[in-house]
Amino acid sequence: MSTSTDLRIADALLLDEDAQDLLFREARTANAFTDEPVTDEQLAAIFELVKWAPTAMNTQPLRVVVVRSAEAKERLLPHMAEGNRAKTAAAPATALLAADIDFHEELPRTFPHNPGARDMLAGDEASRARMAELNAGLQVGYAIIGIRAAGLAAGPMTGFDAEAVSREFFPDGRHRVLVAVNIGKPAENAFRDRLPRLPFDEVVSAL
């Protein structure tokens, strides 16, 4: 697209250009972080923002464990792929984003206008698992945007033993860790070069 076309597209968005850059255009996966800590206040602010994003039937199946202590890192690192181990060790925080298979227990609170929703799903764990993973996957995307909105960098990863991490940090067996996200202030040379994106005309069809 030409520069003039890019400007017209940017003008069609309500977010100002700085916010567009912060959340999307200039944001990239971080591979190195400073040692500045990620605070409880930042984590709470991220959650309080992204909790408003939609999920099917308002299921909200995402559950999160934030790994910050040396002891917790020692439990996590053996399960990370070799290429992800060093940067996870150095990150000030790593969020383990999991799908709660028993999300239906919360439906009387989160979907109160349908009193039968919980019972409808109670006996169908396979359907719940699919719903949980799909909707928690949506929430993973929202979480990455929320991390960026807090002025932090996100380094999402799926290179780890998901079953082992789920057992270690969610021992009830009712949660499935989908993604681990390193969080912090980006260090120098934290980002690789921007990779190409598919153009609008190859992705979107309007009928």
Side-chain angles (χ1 to χ4, degrees), residues 126-149:
S127 292
R128 292 204 317 271
R130 288 192 296 270
M131 288 184 68
E133 293 189 11
L134 172 61
N135 286 282
L138 289 174
Q139 291 184 284
V140 168
Y142 305 144
I144 291 169
I145 302 303
I147 290 164
R148 294 171 176 176

Side-chain angles (χ1 to χ4, degrees), residues 187-206:
E188 188 176 357
N189 300 318
F191 306 113
R192 299 190 178 101
D193 291 340
R194 167 72 79 192
L195 293 172
R197 295 303 195 263
L198 296 174
F200 174 87
D201 292 343
E202 292 183 17
V203 175
V204 180
S205 299

